[in-house]
Amino acid sequence: MIETVVFWSCTMMMNGEQPNFGFQCKKSKHMAPSHDLIDELPPECLLHIFSFLESARDHCASAAVCRKWLKLLIELIILKVRSSTYDFSLTLPLCRRLKGSSANDITLINLGVGTYPHHRLTSLYLCEGPLFAITDDGLKTIAQLSPMLTSLTLHSCQSVGNLGLKSVAEFCKQLEKLELINSFIDDRGILPISENCLHLSILSLEHCPCISNESLMAFANKSLHIRCITLIDCQLIGDSGIFSLISSQPELTRIKLISMNVGDEVLIAIQEHARALKVFYLEKGSYPSENHYSWIEAIGKLDAAIPRPFATFVRRSLAHLKILEMKGHVSLSDDFLLALSRTTKLVQRFKLKNCRGFTSGGILAAVANWSQRLEVLSLKNCIVVGKKEVTREQGLQTFPSLRTLKLIKCEGVDDCFLSSLGPVCKQAKHVSLDGLESITDRGFQALVRQNTDHRLQFLHLDGCIGISDVGLCSVLRTSGKNIEFLNVDQCTSITDQSLMMIADKCWKLKTLCASCCRVSDNGVFYVTRNCGKTTEFMSFSRCTRITMKSVSYIEVMSTRLVLRELIGCPQIEERASGLLWCRR
């Protein structure tokens, strides 16, 4: 009986009402002043009362009353979670991201209290703001309340130290993913994770200056299921730690090393042990030497121009590689690219950025070895140093899987290079030739004319000043019926003739960018009349020949237009210029 009365009074107090126990006492001068009777209850009685709470709302409301109730509720939930009768399979998984002002201890504790008993917290992302902080106490509490946590990310949580991560290792033994970004946690916090979280498969340490080789060696001795490793700017981690970790993980599929001091030992470990490797990144770090790699006969004689990180994997390590990205290499030789392509038969995405040293024939010969699986070919800000004829054995075949071709701001790419790449575009959907000032209509037509399946949907020609109406109209006449995005910005030779062809052939056009072109009101009229029912965005900025007539055409005929851009057009009134949303 007393339990029911106390629980009823507790509920009334949480709703802001005063409990009435069915009797009244006459006030006397000698009577002690009134006070809260529920505070006199022992903790055991309160715990028994709280055990009847079922909804998350009641848990949060009770926890917000005072610190005493909060501690009791946390203790009660921890006892229930640890009990053998609690079945986590009946609860729903929950993922939460706390950033900025919401990333604090109070929100974190309420999250743990409120999710019980109908949900289980499995993924947690914490990003600390400038005014509020998460401490070790908050992280310890959420770890105690969420033993099924499998993913934890601490981004710039400067107030979380070794004690907080030790509590995660103690209570969250099912942890599979750990990410530390801009953290001052050292080896004393990482070592318990390696000992207790044996299911860890993803380890990411970014800008962690206090973590050393000792932590990676601990993972090498304890963990056997790590599949992904990311190390970015960790100054105390060197070859010995990375070598021990890579050599002990047979399931390793992804390695990302950025701004790390990588030497010969790391590449030896990858070459000998990382047989399942599919993705490998190595950027902005000190590269290993050639002392241990004289056995690479496919490349021939190594010289200083060959990028050491990739030259070491030619035989075995890159056999299963599917994504190959090379950035910032000052010089790449044709022999190296050819040897690399002969070994990596499964590459699906090949990207070069800020690279130089290879010839047009060298890159074509290398790409020919990936013809059956290659899906993306991208060269950005690269310099092709010369021309080299491709032999009949190295000639390009058809590319049945390639969907994206990007040649962006590359020096040395001319009409001959584009003509040689013709078979690549047979089934391409996305072609980008932005910033290629040296190409003309002849090379452009030779590149796209083999798109016989008419699958081209995205065509980028921004800054191609050598392309005129002749080349664009020829391509649109054969491959324009499925184009949805067309960008001819800064193509100064494009006139109304191209806009008329766009109006006749591009029936599915959604976006048209024609800034700095020699178009007039007549061309805008044809485009809006024929493509107005499908086009959602139009840009005719800095087109000096269009007037207010074009504005009226766009507003009246383009029924689905969402956004239009008319910046820098001198004959258009100020009220109609600029970037404007169109209300339909």
Side-chain angles (χ1 to χ4, degrees):
M1 181 66 181
I2 185 63
E3 297 173 357
T4 305
V5 173
V6 175
F7 176 70
W8 170 73
S9 64
C10 176
T11 305
M12 292 187 63
M13 291 184 64
M14 287 189 293
N15 294 330
E17 303 176 3
Q18 293 294 332
N20 185 359
F21 295 100
F23 61 89
Q24 296 181 351
C25 296
K26 295 182 179 181
K27 292 186 178 181
S28 173
K29 296 181 179 180
H30 304 287
M31 184 176 293
S34 60
H35 57 277
D36 192 359
L37 298 177
I38 201 168
D39 278 344
E40 297 182 356
L41 292 176
E44 293 78 7
C45 185
L46 285 175
L47 283 174
H48 186 68
I49 295 172
F50 291 153
S51 64
F52 293 96
L53 298 177
E54 296 182 356
S55 66
R57 182 178 180 180
D58 292 339
H59 280 89
C60 291
S62 303
V65 172
C66 61
R67 294 179 181 272
K68 178 181 178 181
W69 285 28
L70 175 62
K71 293 180 179 179
L72 290 175
L73 274 170
I74 292 174
E75 182 179 350
L76 176 65
I77 295 176
I78 292 174
L79 291 175
K80 288 187 175 182
V81 166
R82 292 183 179 179
S83 64
S84 58
T85 59
Y86 188 72
D87 189 3
F88 284 100
S89 62
L90 302 178
T91 60
L92 300 175
L94 190 67
C95 302
R96 282 293 179 265
R97 295 173 63 93
L98 300 181
K99 301 176 64 176
S101 59
S102 61
N104 55 74
D105 283 351
I106 300 299
T107 306
L108 198 61
I109 293 174
N110 286 335
L111 174 64
V113 174
T115 54
Y116 175 85
H118 301 294
H119 297 82
R120 65 180 187 274
L121 188 64
T122 58
S123 178
L124 181 61
Y125 176 92
L126 302 177
C127 183
E128 194 173 279
L131 300 179
F132 300 90
I134 296 175
T135 64
D136 292 336
D137 295 335
L139 190 60
K140 180 180 179 180
T141 303
I142 195 68
Q144 291 177 324
L145 298 176
S146 307
M148 300 302 294
L149 189 68
T150 58
S151 175
L152 176 63
T153 300
L154 300 178
H155 191 303
S156 301
C157 296
Q158 308 291 345
S159 301
V160 175
N162 298 325
L163 295 178
L165 206 58
K166 285 181 180 179
S167 61
V168 173
E170 181 181 356
F171 301 107
C172 305
K173 297 185 178 181
Q174 303 297 323
L175 193 67
E176 298 178 0
K177 177 181 178 181
L178 176 62
E179 288 185 302
L180 299 180
I181 305 173
N182 295 330
S183 175
F184 289 99
I185 295 175
D186 56 28
D187 296 331
R188 293 173 293 178
I190 296 292
L191 292 178
I193 295 288
S194 63
E195 296 175 356
N196 297 334
C197 303
L198 301 180
H199 299 282
L200 194 71
S201 60
I202 300 176
L203 176 63
S204 178
L205 304 176
E206 302 181 18
H207 308 287
C208 299
C210 301
I211 299 178
S212 67
N213 293 324
E214 184 180 357
S215 297
L216 297 189
M217 292 179 179
F219 281 111
N221 295 329
K222 302 292 184 179
S223 302
L224 295 176
H225 304 288
I226 294 181
R227 294 182 291 105
C228 302
I229 299 174
T230 300
L231 300 175
I232 300 178
D233 193 19
C234 297
Q235 302 173 2
L236 298 182
I237 296 179
D239 281 354
S240 59
I242 302 176
F243 176 85
S244 61
L245 183 59
I246 292 176
S247 60
S248 63
Q249 306 301 321
E251 301 178 1
L252 199 59
T253 59
R254 182 185 179 96
I255 300 176
K256 187 173 183 179
L257 306 175
I258 298 178
S259 299
M260 299 294 296
N261 295 322
V262 178
D264 298 331
E265 295 182 4
V266 174
L267 298 184
I268 291 175
I270 296 177
Q271 176 235 326
E272 295 180 353
H273 302 283
R275 301 298 178 86
L277 186 66
K278 295 182 179 180
V279 180
F280 176 70
Y281 294 89
L282 182 59
E283 302 176 19
K284 301 178 182 179
S286 60
Y287 296 154
S289 65
E290 59 178 326
N291 297 332
H292 302 286
Y293 309 111
S294 57
W295 50 270
I296 307 179
E297 299 176 358
I299 294 180
K301 184 179 179 181
L302 293 176
D303 51 33
I306 295 178
R308 308 288 179 248
F310 295 95
T312 58
F313 309 113
V314 171
R315 281 291 178 86
R316 288 175 289 181
S317 303
L318 296 182
H320 302 283
L321 201 66
K322 295 184 178 180
I323 301 175
L324 181 57
E325 297 185 13
M326 305 171 68
K327 302 179 182 179
H329 295 291
V330 179
S331 183
L332 293 177
S333 66
D334 292 342
D335 293 336
F336 165 71
L337 290 177
L338 181 60
L340 183 64
S341 64
R342 287 174 177 171
T343 304
T344 55
K345 297 291 186 180
L346 303 181
V347 169
Q348 298 176 358
R349 292 165 55 185
F350 178 62
K351 297 182 180 181
L352 295 180
K353 183 178 180 181
N354 299 326
C355 298
R356 63 179 66 182
F358 53 88
T359 64
S360 57
I363 191 68
L364 293 174
V367 172
N369 291 318
W370 298 319
S371 59
Q372 298 302 315
R373 296 181 180 269
L374 193 65
E375 298 178 0
V376 177
L377 174 61
S378 175
L379 305 180
K380 185 175 182 180
N381 297 331
C382 295
I383 299 178
V384 181
V385 296
K387 300 179 182 179
K388 180 181 178 181
E389 295 184 359
V390 183
T391 62
R392 181 172 299 180
E393 296 178 355
Q394 298 174 348
L396 287 181
Q397 306 297 324
T398 57
F399 284 68
S401 301
L402 193 129
R403 297 295 180 266
T404 302
L405 173 65
K406 294 183 179 181
L407 304 175
I408 302 175
K409 297 180 180 180
C410 295
E411 298 182 14
V413 176
D414 54 10
D415 291 339
C416 294
F417 186 79
L418 293 185
S419 300
S420 302
L421 278 177
V424 174
C425 289
K426 187 173 182 180
Q427 297 186 10
K429 294 183 179 180
H430 189 145
V431 175
S432 178
L433 306 175
D434 294 345
L436 301 183
E437 299 180 354
S438 59
I439 64 173
T440 63
D441 294 332
R442 184 173 65 88
F444 177 53
Q445 294 179 55
L447 177 69
V448 186
R449 72 172 55 169
Q450 298 194 37
N451 192 267
T452 54
D453 294 338
H454 308 296
R455 297 187 178 185
L456 191 62
Q457 297 179 359
F458 301 88
L459 182 59
H460 297 251
L461 301 173
D462 188 0
C464 298
I465 58 178
I467 294 179
S468 63
D469 293 332
V470 177
L472 185 59
C473 292
S474 176
V475 169
L476 295 179
R477 190 177 291 109
T478 57
S479 305
K481 67 177 184 180
N482 289 321
I483 289 182
E484 299 179 2
F485 185 100
L486 179 59
N487 186 345
V488 290
D489 288 343
Q490 304 181 49
C491 295
T492 55
S493 300
I494 298 298
T495 64
D496 291 340
Q497 183 180 353
S498 295
L499 294 188
M500 293 178 184
M501 183 60 66
I502 293 172
D504 292 338
K505 299 298 181 179
C506 301
W507 307 321
K508 299 180 181 180
L509 189 67
K510 295 182 179 180
T511 300
L512 174 61
C513 302
S515 301
C516 301
C517 296
R518 295 191 296 120
V519 298
S520 64
D521 297 333
N522 191 27
V524 176
F525 170 76
Y526 278 99
V527 170
T528 53
R529 185 187 65 176
N530 292 8
C531 303
K533 296 182 179 181
T534 60
T535 307
E536 300 176 356
F537 175 78
M538 286 186 180
S539 174
F540 296 101
S541 297
R542 293 178 290 279
C543 294
T544 58
R545 299 185 179 186
I546 64 174
T547 65
M548 289 299 296
K549 291 183 180 180
S550 297
V551 177
S552 60
Y553 296 153
I554 294 174
E555 292 179 349
V556 175
M557 298 184 185
S558 300
T559 57
R560 294 194 60 183
L561 195 67
V562 177
L563 188 65
R564 63 176 174 84
E565 185 178 13
L566 300 172
I567 300 174
C569 301
Q571 301 188 50
I572 294 181
E573 298 178 5
E574 184 178 357
R575 62 179 178 83
S577 63
L579 186 65
L580 298 178
W581 293 93
C582 301
R583 298 181 180 180
R584 295 297 176 187

